[in-house]
């Protein structure tokens, strides 16, 4: 046994060292966290079992990575510790931590429950902010915990980080510790742009944050917008500390530091488990990645009593959630044809539990992305699934390619087909476009299905109960070919479909009938004209008032509409010039009771004639809710800021729109001020 352990230790340490180097120094990880954790635990277990085999340079002896030469080293006044991970999943993790704390603090059964501060475990990069007399003088990464890197200039580009504390009586020295992170939206936006421009996308938001903070050029850092949440302290001088951790965070928030609102103070182990559940439910809906929650004994005197083991405080623990990245194998590569004919390659995967669900498919985006990652059938890949975003293949683990040393590879590089897999029509990739498209238009059954699914979707005609599966059947059975056919469906025709009881058939017919009265804006959006999104559809409906007027408009007339430029105008003209589209529109006109001009004429209201732009996360209203309120008051909710914008409504993590508004001298409102403005309506 010992000889086996000995043989395993060396490659294991090399694997972990290599993973550390790629992660911390190169910002190009090749192993998912979960796999890294497993290897690390395996090594820890082996070294615990055979202490005589321990080595002074084993990766278990050091936490974190080394500093890059390029940034000046910063010696931390108080070491930046790491935090122990509770290995029990589910409730046992929370209960176990509480039990341990009670034991360490010699609490009897009759003693009151221990009070804990619960927080999210942000998945970014730990940063120490040093304020002297209220002014930010230095920001540093954690590095190896003792010495980090001076990243002040880059951290200054994070808008969430105050450069000066909001107080007239700041402590002489205040070090704030927290996490720099990238929101999922910023990550998606950055990657969409990179894919469009043929650049290299980021692997995940955490990597985006780490890579961004460690850019030598602060301008590049600013291009990848980051955010920050405070969760603790380093050195302090000239401040009488409050008695609890939660009170410290309250004070930090009062001084203008961003502190996440999902934190809670609870009593006892069962309440920790409740918190873990509550956040698990919310995890997908958060604006950023978390990999778990953190429990901290709230009273500082108890924290002092508990002290530290090695480099970890005894009074805190991380309780993780299922990983958002995992390893699995690509069993096949299929191609999906979308509404606009775009071919999307999709990896069919050996089922894997990732981000809390079992994933069997992951997008490969397009041909360029497949080539960049060189994904082939049989490859072991890292799959990422976070939030509501569709799962994607992040990268290949090249060492695990089957028989990679063969001269002839077992599976050749993947190439998209040149004929549409659904209808056989030629596939064309236009110069400068990332997507290859089927050239068959709505004659292609796949495009037809996707067009119908879009037509019926919630933000378009909102036909309840008409989902993907049903559309598929309707098209395959020849019952429906165009949206107009939906309005001719009868209960008798539906009766023959799978899983279609009489009641659901009646409901569907009713839902279709109800959609006849949708306003022109929804109708325009539902038609699926390229480059005509929801907002453009609203603008067009408002401007022209009727479909006839819109269809009669030439380019000059179209570009009169706000936010409509030559590209959108060309899409509209091409769509209406197509005889097939005209035929469908005429058929819909005959089938629908829908009237022209029901296009939500500008209502008289306090915001009539006003254009407002929303940016950042508002404290209570969702983006959709705020938009609906503005529109209900007769205003227009625009997607960008221009000279025509009357107000900008800004929330947390507001980005470049806010900057632009300031530059243009536009009035900026917070949520409370918006609600105040709306109240004026009555
Ligand atoms: S407390 C002394 N709280 O997790 C305890 N850490 O190993 C210091 N992290 O890289 C950590 N969210 O950057 C704490 N709410 C939170 C956290 C958090 C994320 C990170 C931290 C560090 C790791 C802890």
């Amino acid at each position: 046994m010992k000889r086996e352990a000995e043989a395993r230790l060396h490659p294991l340490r090399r694997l972990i060292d290599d993973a550390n180097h790629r992660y911390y120094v190169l910002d190009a990880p090749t192993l998912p966290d979960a796999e890294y954790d497993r290897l690390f635990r395996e090594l820890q277990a082996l070294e615990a079992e055979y202490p005589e085999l321990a080595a002074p340079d084993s990766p278990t002896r050091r936490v974190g990575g080394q500093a890059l030469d390029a940034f000046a080293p910063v010696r931390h006044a108080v070491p930046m510790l790491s935090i122990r991970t509770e290995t029990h999943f589910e409730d046992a993790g929370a209960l176990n931590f509480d039990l341990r704390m009670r034991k360490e603090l010699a609490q009897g059964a009759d003693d009151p429950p221990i009070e804990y501060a619960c927080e999210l475990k942000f998945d970014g990069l730990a940063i120490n902010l040093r304020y002297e007399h209220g002014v930010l003088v230095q920001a540093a990464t954690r590095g190896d915990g003792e010495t980090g890197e001076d990243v002040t200039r880059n951290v200054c580009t994070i808008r969430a980080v105050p450069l000066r504390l909001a107080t007239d009586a700041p402590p002489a020295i205040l070090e704030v510790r927290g996490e720099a992170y990238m929101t999922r939206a910023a990550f998606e936006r950055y990657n969409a742009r990179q894919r469009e421009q043929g650049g290299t996308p980021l692997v995940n938001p955490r990597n985006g944050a780490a890579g961004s903070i460690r850019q030598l050029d602060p301008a590049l850092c600013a291009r990848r917008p980051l955010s920050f949440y405070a969760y603790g302290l380093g050195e302090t001088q000239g401040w009488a500390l409050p008695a609890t951790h939660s009170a410290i965070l309250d004070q930090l928030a009062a001084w203008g530091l961003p502190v996440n609102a999902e934190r809670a103070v609870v009593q006892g182990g069962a309440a920790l488990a409740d918190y873990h559940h509550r956040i698990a439910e919310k995890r997908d809906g958060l604006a950023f990645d978390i990999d778990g929650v953190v429990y901290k004994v709230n009273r500082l005197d108890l924290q002092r009593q508990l002290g530290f083991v090695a480099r970890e405080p005894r009074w805190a623990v991380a309780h993780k959630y299922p990983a958002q990245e995992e390893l699995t194998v690509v069993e096949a590569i299929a191609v999906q044809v979308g509404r606009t004919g775009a071919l999307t390659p999709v990896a069919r995967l050996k089922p894997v539990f990732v981000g809390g669900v079992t994933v069997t498919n992951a997008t490969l985006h397009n041909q360029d992305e497949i080539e960049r990652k060189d994904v082939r059938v049989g490859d072991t890949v890292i799959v990422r699934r976070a939030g509501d975003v569709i799962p994607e293949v992040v990268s290949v683990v090249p060492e695990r390619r089957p028989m990679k040393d063969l001269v002839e590879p077992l599976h050749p590089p993947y190439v998209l087909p040149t004929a549409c897999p659904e209808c056989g029509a030629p596939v064309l990739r236009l110069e400068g476009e990332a997507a290859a498209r089927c050239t068959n238009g709505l004659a292609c059954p796949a495009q037809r299905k996707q067009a119908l699914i879009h037509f019926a979707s919630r933000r378009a005609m909102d036909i309840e109960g008409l989902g993907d599966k049903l559309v598929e059947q309707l098209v395959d059975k020849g019952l429906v070919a165009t949206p107009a056919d939906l309005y001719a469906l009868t209960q008798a025709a539906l009766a023959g479909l799978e899983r279609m009881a009489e009641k659901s058939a009646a409901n569907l017919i009713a839902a279709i009938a109800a959609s006849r009265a949708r306003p022109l804006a929804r109708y325009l959006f539902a038609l699926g004209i390229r480059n005509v999104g929801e907002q453009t559809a609203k603008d067009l409906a408002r401007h022209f008032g009727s479909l006839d007027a819109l269809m009669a408009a030439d380019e000059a007339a179209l570009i009169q509409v706000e936010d409509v430029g030559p590209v959108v105008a060309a899409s509209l003209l091409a769509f209406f010039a197509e005889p097939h589209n005209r035929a469908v529109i005429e058929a819909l006109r005959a089938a629908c009771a829908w009237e022209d001009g029901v296009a939500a004429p500008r209502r008289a209201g306090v915001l009539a004639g006003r254009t407002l732009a929303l940016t950042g996360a508002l404290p209570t209203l969702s983006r959709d809710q705020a938009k609906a309120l503005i529109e209900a008051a007769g205003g227009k909710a625009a997607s960008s800021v221009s000279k025509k914008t009357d107000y900008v409504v800004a929330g947390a993590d507001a980005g470049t729109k806010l900057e632009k508004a300031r530059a243009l001298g536009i009035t900026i409102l917070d949520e409370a001020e918006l609600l105040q403005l709306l109240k004026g309506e009555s």
Side-chain angles (χ1 to χ4, degrees):
M1 284 315 279
K2 183 166 169 190
R3 283 192 41 200
E4 268 169 43
E6 215 165 354
R8 175 74 179 140
L9 274 174
H10 183 62
L12 199 51
R13 285 179 184 145
R14 272 207 11 222
L15 265 173
I16 293 170
D17 271 334
D18 185 54
N20 272 336
H21 181 72
R22 285 172 193 272
Y23 186 110
Y24 286 103
V25 182
L26 305 179
D27 292 327
T30 52
L31 281 187
D33 286 1
E35 177 74 4
Y36 176 89
D37 288 345
R38 275 191 289 270
L39 294 173
F40 200 84
R41 279 201 299 271
E42 185 189 345
L43 179 59
Q44 277 178 321
L46 280 176
E47 289 180 351
E49 200 178 347
Y50 303 103
E52 66 275 29
L53 296 181
D57 63 350
S58 173
T60 53
R61 295 279 167 104
R62 121 185 117 148
V63 198
Q66 70 209 68
L68 278 181
D69 297 330
F71 293 103
V74 174
R75 182 130 187 111
H76 296 301
V78 177
M80 286 183 82
L81 302 171
S82 86
I83 191 169
R84 173 184 170 138
T85 297
E86 180 58 57
T87 45
H88 296 76
F89 277 103
E90 303 300 329
D91 290 7
L95 300 175
N96 191 45
F97 175 62
D98 181 49
L99 277 180
R100 226 176 36 243
M101 292 304 102
R102 293 187 73 84
K103 202 169 129 209
E104 299 272 0
L105 293 168
Q107 299 274 294
D110 297 335
D111 288 317
I114 298 176
E115 182 170 280
Y116 297 104
C118 304
E119 291 162 17
L120 305 183
K121 186 166 189 301
F122 311 105
D123 203 4
L125 184 74
I127 295 286
N128 184 68
L129 304 175
R130 187 176 172 90
Y131 291 90
E132 291 180 2
H133 303 288
V135 177
L136 179 68
V137 294
Q138 186 178 65
T141 62
R142 171 158 170 264
D144 64 5
E146 301 288 338
T147 307
E149 299 158 333
D150 186 334
V151 290
T152 313
R153 291 207 306 157
N154 284 348
V155 168
C156 285
T157 69
I158 305 179
R159 294 195 172 68
V161 171
L163 300 181
R164 182 184 285 276
L165 299 179
T167 168
D168 292 334
I173 291 177
L174 175 74
E175 287 190 354
V176 177
R177 286 181 178 166
E179 199 89 345
Y181 68 94
M182 187 178 250
T183 61
R184 289 176 185 154
F187 169 73
E188 294 297 329
R189 231 177 296 133
Y190 182 85
N191 276 1
R193 199 169 51 218
Q194 289 297 100
R195 280 193 196 101
E196 251 169 52
Q197 300 172 351
T200 311
L202 302 167
V203 171
N204 55 36
R206 186 201 45 228
N207 236 243
S212 192
I213 284 287
R214 295 156 91 248
Q215 284 285 344
L216 286 167
D217 177 0
L220 291 179
C221 178
R223 270 192 58 219
R224 307 175 178 182
L226 302 188
S227 306
F228 180 86
Y229 278 127
Y231 55 64
L233 295 179
E235 184 187 9
T236 62
Q237 276 179 34
W239 179 24
L241 285 187
T244 60
H245 176 76
S246 56
I248 290 176
L249 294 192
D250 290 343
Q251 181 57 263
L252 294 183
W255 283 335
L257 285 147
V259 177
N260 185 265
E262 293 296 346
R263 68 203 168 100
V265 174
V266 307
Q267 324 284 330
L272 292 178
D274 280 350
Y275 181 78
H276 190 257
H277 282 296
R278 201 158 61 69
I279 300 300
E281 295 285 309
K282 287 193 174 176
R283 187 185 186 195
D284 275 359
L286 293 174
F288 45 86
D289 281 5
I290 57 169
D291 56 351
V293 291
V294 180
Y295 311 135
K296 298 172 181 172
V297 171
N298 201 23
R299 273 171 49 186
L300 301 196
D301 58 337
L302 296 184
Q303 288 188 1
R304 264 176 234 119
Q305 196 179 324
L306 284 158
F308 300 85
V309 225
R311 306 172 56 86
E312 296 167 350
R314 254 198 211 97
W315 43 264
V317 78
H319 194 185
K320 298 244 186 149
Y321 292 121
Q324 292 180 320
E325 290 182 9
E326 275 292 358
L327 288 178
T328 189
V329 173
V330 177
E331 294 183 327
I333 296 178
V335 176
Q336 278 170 2
V337 182
R339 176 162 63 83
T340 59
L343 268 57
T344 304
V346 177
R348 301 271 185 246
L349 304 170
K350 187 162 164 243
V352 61
F353 190 69
V354 51
V357 302
T358 300
V359 168
T360 51
N361 294 302
T363 182
L364 294 164
H365 298 288
N366 56 45
Q367 179 70 44
D368 288 351
E369 282 282 285
I370 292 196
E371 279 170 23
R372 199 175 57 75
K373 296 174 187 157
D374 189 19
V375 182
R376 305 184 193 186
V377 174
D379 274 344
T380 297
V381 292
I382 300 177
V383 178
R384 171 181 155 83
R385 183 207 166 261
D388 305 325
V389 183
I390 33 175
E392 68 164 350
V393 169
V394 173
S395 60
V396 169
V397 184
E399 307 85 64
R400 304 217 188 165
R401 173 161 291 166
M403 308 194 216
K404 68 182 171 77
D405 298 328
L406 288 182
V407 181
E408 278 289 305
L410 202 54
H411 295 287
Y414 180 84
V415 185
L416 273 181
T418 51
C420 173
E422 300 282 340
C423 71
V427 166
L428 194 69
R429 181 172 168 187
L430 293 179
E431 175 114 8
E433 284 203 11
R437 292 175 203 277
C438 162
T439 50
N440 210 6
L442 288 174
C444 168
Q447 293 188 51
R448 211 182 297 147
K449 284 175 193 168
Q450 293 303 323
L452 283 162
I453 290 167
H454 171 75
F455 185 83
S457 65
R458 199 171 52 81
R459 291 180 169 280
M461 297 297 266
D462 193 15
I463 305 179
E464 210 183 312
L466 186 55
D468 302 13
K469 289 268 171 329
L470 199 52
V471 166
E472 191 117 327
Q473 284 194 67
L474 290 170
V475 173
D476 289 345
K477 292 232 154 69
L479 290 170
V480 171
T482 75
D485 299 338
L486 290 171
Y487 296 92
L489 280 176
T490 61
Q491 220 163 309
L494 292 176
L497 301 177
E498 277 167 44
R499 274 177 298 171
M500 182 58 76
E502 199 172 312
K503 181 93 172 76
S504 33
N507 285 345
L508 181 61
I509 300 285
I512 294 173
S515 75
R516 288 167 180 241
R518 299 279 178 256
L520 180 59
R522 274 176 175 269
Y523 180 80
L524 284 177
F525 175 58
L527 288 175
I529 304 165
R530 268 176 83 181
N531 301 311
V532 177
E534 227 181 334
Q535 187 57 46
T536 307
K538 278 184 196 166
D539 292 344
L540 290 167
R542 191 171 279 168
H543 187 94
F544 290 103
S546 79
L547 188 60
D548 284 329
L550 171 62
M551 287 174 72
D554 58 8
E555 189 191 350
L558 287 170
I559 58 175
Q560 294 299 309
V561 182
E562 198 182 347
D563 289 337
V564 172
V567 175
V568 179
S571 293
L572 284 159
L573 293 171
F575 185 88
F576 291 128
E578 170 73 48
H580 172 82
N581 293 337
R582 282 191 171 271
V584 170
I585 288 169
E586 286 322 309
L588 270 172
R589 227 197 259 273
C592 285
W594 134 81
E595 309 156 35
D596 271 345
V598 283
R602 212 176 270 253
R603 277 185 38 189
V606 270
L607 294 182
R610 304 275 174 194
T611 299
L612 289 79
L614 294 162
T615 177
L618 299 179
T620 67
L621 294 173
S622 73
R623 183 66 63 107
D624 284 348
Q625 286 169 333
K627 228 169 145 179
L629 286 174
I630 290 167
E631 286 171 359
K636 183 184 160 198
S639 55
S640 57
V641 174
S642 73
K643 277 184 296 206
K644 296 182 201 159
T645 312
D646 296 293
Y647 300 101
V648 168
V649 183
D653 303 334
T656 50
K657 276 190 234 175
L658 184 55
E659 243 173 79
K660 191 161 171 197
R662 287 206 180 105
L664 291 170
I666 295 168
T667 309
I668 295 162
L669 308 174
D670 62 15
E671 181 184 286
E673 288 165 333
L674 170 68
L675 293 173
Q676 202 56 42
L677 192 65
L678 288 164
K679 264 204 216 137
E681 181 157 42
S682 55

